Amino acid sequence: MVNTEIPKHYTASPSSICVTPHLTINREATLDLDSSNAFEGPEKLLEVWFGPSSSKLPERTAPGGLKAVPAETWKEMLDLVNCKVLSIVESEHVDAYLLSESSMFVFPHKLILKTCGTTTLLCGLPMILEIAGAVAGFPHVVGDLKAGIATAATPYRVFYSRKNYLFPDQQRGPHRSWRDEVKSLDRLFRGGSAYMIGKMNGEHWYLYLTEPNTILTPPATPDSAGTRTKFLDVSPIQAEKFCQGFDGMSQQDETLEILMTDLEQDNAKQFYLDHASAVAEGRFFQRAREARKDAREHLGTLEGSGIDKAQNEDAYDIFSNTSSDNGEFSLSDDEQPFPEELTTEGHALGTVVSENSGLADVYPVSKYPDARVDAYLFTPCGFSANGVVPAPYGQSATHYFTVHVTPEPNCSYASFETNIPCKQTGRETAEMVEQVINIFKPGRFSVTLFEAKQAFPEDLDIGGIPDAKFLEQRKAAMASRMDNIKGYRRVERIVHDLEGYDLVFRYYESWDWEGGEPRLGEIY
């Protein structure tokens, strides 16, 4: 039997209780939303760390760290970014904010902010530093308005990245070019490193990061040589500490990002409101039909009357009857009317799209029963979802994934990002990538895998093979698998061996790709 109600494992379900992640919906922000103008799908991604892990917060930090900051305070910061909060999933280890333009995740020790369209993400960064110091209690520089110094917490480290824009001339503020973005970040932090990964005249990806124990630019010292760009300089001991993760648990800091363009258009229709509503209506009436069949079968058994089995077992096309005034399924007074929430944008249709597209199967409830997904479908099209996924086996950690889709033909784009370690899922990275691209069917896509290195004692053996050698062999096998994604040719592979981190960028095109060149035009 098909159920069109919001499942219990989704946060919009009324069965969610206080011991599970809790959903709060901002009804006012959801009014009059229209995604038709949010054509710049590629997001700006900012991570600001104020400590190496949630279990190693500095002294005098408020209990809960950044999670102690009220939602209203974050909303004021997001006003500077030009986006609104649609809903919030609160959990023990992370609060997931679904935004009108993408997502924000707040951990005790770090904040992740991802925004699309013409949002001005970096305009919110100074206030993030101020909130972390003044409200969350992280070590900070006390502001002095007369000297032009703002209150600002000292971050542990900062990461900022994005794909090349589709329409760079539409961007605002510091986001008109990568050069301006780097200048904006350099005004706040000393010793940042800026990279462009990929072809300048093709698909590429930008990254800016700071060293551990980042130093704020103000107040400037007299002998300052100004801002500079250089590689990370983090000792193996620091890197190993950084990789310890939550509560001292050995955990890999790993972020996988899949950025997809030129989506197959027939497939992309599932992210339009009209299509999703038709799917929901078809399922709704199919459920009604199956309920009547069950009732007739039970009635036939009770009365001893035969029922035409062939008629009951006939195949039925759920799309053949989707109109509410259809004769066969005309509603009687005692039948439930088609729910209005399945005809308008919002979380209900977001759940329908999540299930119908296959996104709900990426981290299935059968394996992650405590996971919570907050999905939203926009008018007339567009889709966003946040997932909060507790670590299995009672481990005290919670990870996230986030999905955003702009399906319009002239600017189609989808992104998938997660920090759930592949070893936790029991799948290789290539398997995860294939599952995601099979959902969206892009003409082209890039994959960035950014992970902290882990140090292992040299005397550890696995089957007689030194552990380091075993890991190198396994890494080589995984790299080979990533170079052979079914239906696509790997065009580019770039590896950055940073001290403390490995960064791998790959770019793919489908074998039957017949499109044009990537959109360019940014000022470098």
Side-chain angles (χ1 to χ4, degrees), residues 17-276:
I17 56 176
C18 60
V19 296
T20 62
H22 174 69
L23 174 72
T24 302
I25 298 176
N26 182 359
R27 302 291 182 185
E28 293 183 2
T30 63
L31 297 175
D32 301 323
L33 276 178
D34 189 333
S35 66
S36 59
N37 293 322
F39 53 81
E40 184 65 71
E43 302 98 342
K44 312 162 184 82
L45 175 60
L46 174 70
E47 287 196 30
V48 187
W49 294 58
F50 294 96
S53 76
S54 62
S55 62
K56 298 178 181 179
L57 300 180
E59 293 183 5
R60 300 183 180 178
T61 301
L66 295 175
K67 277 175 52 60
V69 176
E72 292 303 317
T73 302
W74 291 127
K75 290 177 183 179
E76 292 178 10
M77 180 274 295
L78 291 170
D79 285 341
L80 300 176
V81 180
N82 291 297
C83 61
K84 300 295 183 182
V85 175
L86 302 182
S87 52
I88 308 170
V89 176
E90 299 175 348
S91 68
E92 181 181 358
H93 301 106
V94 58
D95 294 337
Y97 289 68
L98 194 64
L99 308 179
S100 55
E101 285 83 10
S102 300
S103 303
M104 181 173 74
F105 297 90
V106 180
F107 295 80
H109 65 300
K110 67 179 179 179
L111 177 142
I112 300 172
L113 179 57
K114 186 171 190 172
T115 65
C116 61
T118 56
T119 51
T120 50
L121 185 150
L122 290 180
C123 292
L125 181 52
M127 190 170 180
I128 292 174
L129 300 178
E130 181 180 358
I131 291 171
V135 182
F138 284 92
H140 59 278
V141 174
V142 178
D144 185 343
L145 295 179
K146 293 183 179 180
I149 300 174
T151 298
T154 304
Y156 177 72
R157 68 187 319 168
V158 177
F159 304 84
Y160 175 73
S161 64
R162 66 171 175 84
K163 179 187 177 296
N164 55 298
Y165 292 130
L166 298 177
F167 306 99
D169 58 315
Q170 300 295 322
Q171 292 299 314
R172 298 179 292 175
H175 299 288
R176 292 187 177 92
S177 72
W178 176 243
R179 180 180 60 190
D180 289 345
E181 289 171 314
V182 172
K183 286 182 178 179
S184 179
L185 290 160
D186 276 344
R187 280 194 291 267
L188 293 172
F189 312 115
R190 290 183 181 272
S193 300
Y195 302 90
M196 188 190 78
I197 303 169
K199 296 178 180 179
M200 181 177 290
N201 62 342
E203 293 289 331
H204 50 270
W205 186 73
Y206 297 104
L207 171 67
Y208 180 99
L209 46 77
T210 65
E211 299 180 357
N213 301 310
T214 300
I215 300 175
L216 295 172
T217 297
T221 56
D223 58 347
S224 173
T227 57
R228 58 196 174 95
T229 299
K230 62 181 182 180
F231 283 93
L232 287 172
D233 183 16
V234 51
S235 69
I237 294 177
Q238 288 175 310
E240 184 176 0
K241 288 181 178 179
F242 185 72
C243 293
Q244 288 304 307
F246 296 90
D247 302 324
M249 178 183 64
S250 178
Q251 175 181 313
Q252 192 174 28
D253 174 31
E254 174 182 318
T255 301
L256 172 69
E257 193 174 26
I258 308 172
L259 308 178
M260 298 160 278
T261 58
D262 306 286
L263 309 183
E264 200 279 313
Q265 284 306 297
D266 284 340
N267 183 69
K269 290 178 181 177
Q270 61 188 318
F271 300 103
Y272 282 76
L273 189 146
D274 288 346
H275 184 277

Side-chain angles (χ1 to χ4, degrees), residues 321-372:
N321 292 284
T322 58
S323 174
S324 299
D325 58 1
N326 182 275
E328 181 181 357
F329 298 114
S330 58
L331 301 177
S332 60
D333 292 338
D334 60 342
E335 288 183 309
Q336 181 182 2
F338 185 59
E340 182 180 356
E341 60 266 27
L342 293 178
T343 65
T344 59
E345 74 167 58
H347 293 84
L349 279 181
T351 298
V352 171
V353 172
S354 181
E355 292 187 332
N356 186 62
S357 65
L359 284 169
D361 298 325
V362 175
Y363 298 106
V365 179
S366 58
K367 185 169 184 178
Y368 302 96
D370 295 324
R372 294 293 180 268

